[in-house]
């Protein structure tokens, strides 16, 4: 009888991961199931005995744990093996630079970070003082600088920049 496949993870990103295994002698096919954190099957595929012996889990939620089960099939029996795939968090912007400070304005810039080759669809700049409400400005994709105007003179501001992707937002960089 075949044995359960030994699974290995690689290429884990915020939205994907790859599972591979060696061929199991006697296996007629492999059934691969990717389960969401809630336990529901996100995808089930059947792969032939001759390979490929890899499965790419795509379009996953960032910063989440998925369960990947690979079953070696022989006749009416299956020999399952399961591995946990923890996607990484969406990376934040590497740094925010204050380029110029005037009495009622601040000019800032940042460098966006792509995820799995995908550029952000935009950014959000959040700014506030200890005593003011949080305000935010949406910045279009490709724009990496902003002039914040109409600020209170002689005030100290906290500024956060987050990247926006179709699959979520990054942690704030202050």
């Amino acid at each position: 009888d075949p044995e359960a496949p030994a699974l290995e993870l690689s290429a884990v990103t915020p939205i994907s991961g790859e599972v591979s295994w060696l061929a199991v002698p006697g296996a007629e096919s492999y059934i691969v199931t990717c389960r969401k954190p809630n336990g529901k099957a996100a995808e089930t595929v059947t792969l032939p005995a001759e390979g490929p012996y890899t499965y790419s889990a795509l379009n996953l939620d960032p910063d989440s744990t998925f369960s990947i089960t690979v079953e070696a099939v022989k006749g009416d029996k299956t020999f399952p093996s399961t591995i946990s795939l923890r996607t990484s968090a969406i990376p934040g912007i590497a740094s925010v630079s204050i380029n110029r400070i005037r009495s009622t304005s601040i000019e800032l810039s940042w460098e966006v970070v792509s995820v799995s080759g995908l550029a952000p669809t935009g950014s959000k700049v959040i700014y506030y003082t200890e005593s003011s409400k949080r305000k935010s400005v949406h910045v279009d994709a490709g724009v990496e600088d902003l002039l914040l105007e109409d600020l209170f003179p002689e005030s100290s501001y906290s500024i956060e920049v987050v990247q926006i992707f179709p699959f979520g937002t990054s942690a704030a960089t202050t």
Side-chain angles (χ1 to χ4, degrees), residues 13-17 36 42-43 56-62 66 87 118 167:
T13 75
I15 57 172
S16 65
K36 296 179 180 185
E43 179 178 49
S56 294
L58 305 173
N59 302 313
L60 303 177
D61 295 328
F66 294 81
T87 54
L118 300 172
F167 44 83

Side-chain angles (χ1 to χ4, degrees), residues 32-164:
V32 183
T33 304
C34 176
R35 294 191 182 283
K36 296 179 180 185
N38 65 9
K40 292 185 179 178
E43 179 178 49
T44 300
V45 297
T46 301
L47 299 174
E50 58 273 6
Y53 307 114
T54 62
Y55 168 74
S56 294
L58 305 173
N59 302 313
L60 303 177
D61 295 328
D63 201 21
S64 299
T65 302
F66 294 81
S67 172
I68 311 287
T69 300
V70 178
E71 299 173 81
V73 178
K74 183 175 184 187
D76 60 355
K77 292 184 179 180
T78 62
F79 301 85
S81 186
T82 301
I83 194 167
S84 288
L85 186 162
R86 175 87 185 159
T87 54
S88 52
I90 300 170
I93 290 167
S95 66
V96 176
S97 300
I98 304 296
N99 300 328
R100 178 175 291 155
I101 299 175
R102 299 250 166 99
S103 63
T104 60
S105 67
I106 299 173
E107 183 181 313
L108 59 132
S109 62
W110 58 91
E111 189 175 330
V112 298
V113 177
S114 65
V115 172
S116 301
L118 300 172
T121 57
S123 300
K124 183 164 66 169
V125 177
I126 303 153
Y127 59 101
Y128 52 94
T129 66
E130 271 189 27
S131 60
S132 73
K133 290 183 180 178
R134 295 167 68 96
K135 295 182 181 180
S136 65
V137 177
H138 179 83
V139 182
D140 292 334
V143 177
E144 297 183 12
D145 58 10
L146 181 67
L147 178 63
L148 294 174
E149 298 182 284
D150 301 321
L151 303 177
F152 299 118
E154 306 289 322
S155 298
S156 179
Y157 278 84
S158 294
I159 300 171
E160 302 170 357
V161 182
V162 297
Q163 298 187 111
I164 302 168

